[in-house]
Amino acid sequence: MLVDRACANDLPAVEALYAEAIAAMHNTPFDIWWEIGMHPTADDLARAQEAGNLFVARDGARMLGAFVLDARESADYACIPWRVDAAPGAVAVLHLLVVSPAARGQGVARALVRAAADEARRRGAEALRLDVFSNNTPARALYEALGFVDICEADIHVGGGLVHASHLMELDLRGGEAHV
C-alpha cells in the first residue's frame, strides 16, 4: 500500500471512493451523514488536490482510502481547550478521512493517519487536530490508539449546513505522547 498526494487524474476515483463509503455507512450506527455534493464536494476535493492537501492510499490502481490535510481549523475550534498551545500556523487539521468499505480491517486507516502525522511534521506542525462524529466509535478508538487525546465533545459545523456532535481530538507532534 502506498500513501501519497493525489493527482488530478485521481479525482474521479476519489469521488467514487467517498460515494461508496458514504453509501456503506448510511443507516448504520456509524453513519457520518456526509452527502456527496454537500460534504464533501467535488470542488472542495479538487481545491485540496490542487493545493497538495489531498492524499490517497492505493494498492496498484485500487483506491483504498483518502484524507485532506491542511491548516484550516473550523471556527468552532477557537472555543476548544486544546492541550497544545500552538500558533495557528503550527497546527495541521485532518479532514475527511475515508477508507473503502472493501479495504476495512486491513490497516488502511492506521496507514492514512500515520501519513497525515508524518506530513504534518514535515510542514512544521506542533499539533494534529481533527473532529470525529460522536457516533463513530471505531474511528475514535483508532485515533486514541494512535496517541490522540480526546479533548471534548462539541457541536461542530462540518460543512453544507451540517452541524453534528463531534469529539475534538489532538495529537501532540512535539514528541512525548505521539504514538503515530
Side-chain angles (χ1 to χ4, degrees), residues 25-49:
M25 293 180 81
H26 187 67
N27 288 328
T28 70
F30 313 115
D31 193 339
I32 53 177
W33 296 288
W34 289 351
E35 185 178 329
I36 289 291
M38 292 197 62
H39 186 73
T41 69
D43 288 342
D44 289 341
L45 293 172
R47 278 192 293 276
Q49 183 277 319

Side-chain angles (χ1 to χ4, degrees), residues 144-159:
E144 287 178 349
L146 292 173
F148 282 80
V149 175
D150 190 339
I151 303 297
C152 66
E153 186 174 2
D155 286 340
I156 298 295
H157 294 78
V158 295

Side-chain angles (χ1 to χ4, degrees), residues 40-150:
T41 69
D43 288 342
D44 289 341
L45 293 172
R47 278 192 293 276
Q49 183 277 319
E50 289 169 8
N53 294 330
L54 178 62
F55 293 79
V56 295
R58 63 180 107 229
D59 182 10
R62 193 172 73 134
M63 191 71 58
L64 303 175
F67 67 87
V68 173
L69 181 75
D70 60 27
R72 185 177 41 89
E73 293 184 272
S74 160
D76 300 312
Y77 279 35
C79 301
I80 304 304
W82 300 107
R83 291 178 54 182
V84 177
D85 186 21
V91 172
V93 183
L94 178 59
H95 306 276
L96 295 169
L97 186 126
V98 67
V99 173
S100 167
R104 291 195 180 133
Q106 298 174 25
V108 176
R110 187 175 294 272
L112 289 168
V113 174
R114 286 186 173 135
D118 289 345
E119 180 63 21
R121 285 184 189 98
R122 276 193 290 280
R123 294 179 182 190
E126 296 176 6
L128 177 57
R129 296 177 178 161
L130 59 85
D131 54 81
V132 57
F133 285 5
S134 295
N135 64 312
N136 197 343
T137 52
R140 289 188 3 240
L142 171 70
Y143 294 132
E144 287 178 349
L146 292 173
F148 282 80
V149 175
D150 190 339

